[in-house]
C-alpha cells in the first residue's frame, strides 16, 4: 500500500513564493507531498494525466493554486473525486479577486474548497489538507490539535507581552 500524499499543483512557477507556506506547513506535519507546475489552459492533457496518475499512486488531496482566470482547481475537480482545495493567487490587475471568483464559483456536484487569496490561503490550504487526512489518521489528528494549541499559546504570550508594555507607558 502506498503512503497517502498531497499534490500541490501550480498554474505557474511564479506561484511558488506564495505556495512556500503550504509546503512548510505540510512538512511540519510530516505529510508527504508533490509539487508540480501544470496549466488548465496550456497543458490540459498533461494535467489530466498527472491527476489520474497521482490518484492511482495514493494522492488523497489536491491543492491547486492559480491566478487570474484560475481554472486549475476546477479542471482538477472535474477529473477526480478527491478533495480539491483552491488557492487564489494574488496577482494581476485585480490582485487575486478574479482568481477567487474563478476558483470559488463551481457548479453543483463539482466542489472546490476555496481558501483566502494569497499567502494566508496557501497556509490554510495546508492546514485543511492536514485536517482532511487526519480523519483517517489519529496520530496526525493529534499533531493538528497540538499545533492549534501552540498557536493559541503564542497569541496568549503576545497579549501578555503587550500588556506589560502598555503597563510601562
Amino acid at each position: 500500500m502506498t503512503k497517502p500524499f498531497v499534490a500541490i499543483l501550480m498554474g505557474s512557477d511564479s506561484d511558488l513564493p506564495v505556495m512556500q507556506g503550504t509546503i512548510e506547513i505540510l512538512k511540519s506535519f510530516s505529510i508527504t507531498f508533490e509539487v508540480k507546475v501544470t496549466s488548465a489552459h496550456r497543458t490540459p492533457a498533461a494535467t489530466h494525466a498527472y491527476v489520474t496518475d497521482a490518484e492511482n499512486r495514493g494522492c488523497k488531496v489536491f491543492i491547486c493554486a492559480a491566478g487570474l482566470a484560475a481554472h486549475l482547481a476546477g479542471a482538477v475537480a472535474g477529473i477526480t473525486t478527491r478533495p480539491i482545495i483552491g488557492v487564489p493567487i494574488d496577482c494581476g490587475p485585480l490582485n487575486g479577486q478574479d482568481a477567487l471568483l474563478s476558483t470559488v464559483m463551481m457548479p453543483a456536484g463539482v466542489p472546490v474548497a476555496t481558501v483566502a487569496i494569497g499567502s494566508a490561503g496557501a497556509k490554510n490550504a495546508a492546514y485543511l489538507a492536514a485536517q482532511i487526512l487526519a480523519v483517517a489518521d489519529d496520530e496526525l489528528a493529534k499533531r493538528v490539535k497540538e499545533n492549534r494549541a501552540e498557536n493559541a499559546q503564542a497569541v496568549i504570550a503576545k497579549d501578555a507581552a503587550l500588556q506589560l508594555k502598555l503597563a510601562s507607558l
Side-chain angles (χ1 to χ4, degrees):
M1 183 166 173
T2 60
K3 183 173 181 181
F5 69 94
V6 173
I8 302 169
L9 306 181
M10 301 180 299
S12 172
D13 62 342
S14 64
D15 300 335
L16 183 58
V18 172
M19 297 308 291
Q20 194 63 43
T22 305
I23 292 167
E24 291 168 9
I25 290 166
L26 291 175
K27 281 182 179 178
S28 77
F29 287 118
S30 300
I31 294 172
T32 303
F33 62 90
E34 296 179 0
V35 182
K36 184 164 184 65
V37 174
T38 191
S39 171
H41 303 114
R42 292 180 293 258
T43 60
T47 299
H48 193 284
Y50 174 78
V51 170
T52 301
D53 177 63
E55 186 173 359
N56 289 337
R57 292 184 293 110
C59 180
K60 299 299 182 191
V61 180
F62 290 88
I63 297 174
C64 301
L68 303 171
H71 293 123
L72 184 57
V76 172
I79 299 166
T80 182
T81 57
R82 298 284 190 221
I84 310 299
I85 304 169
V87 180
I89 299 295
D90 50 343
C91 65
L94 299 178
N95 295 316
Q97 290 184 36
D98 48 352
L100 172 64
L101 293 174
S102 295
T103 305
V104 78
M105 295 303 297
M106 292 297 296
V110 190
V112 170
T114 307
V115 293
I117 298 169
S119 61
K123 291 175 183 175
N124 276 340
Y127 286 117
L128 182 55
Q131 289 176 305
I132 290 168
L133 294 173
V135 168
D137 182 339
D138 290 339
E139 186 57 39
L140 179 57
K142 180 181 173 189
R143 293 194 313 269
V144 169
K145 278 186 179 181
E146 288 170 352
N147 178 266
R148 184 79 60 98
E150 290 167 9
N151 288 339
Q153 287 302 315
V155 170
I156 292 167
K158 288 178 183 182
D159 178 59
L162 173 65
Q163 297 309 316
L164 284 174
K165 184 177 181 180
L166 293 173
S168 67
L169 292 180

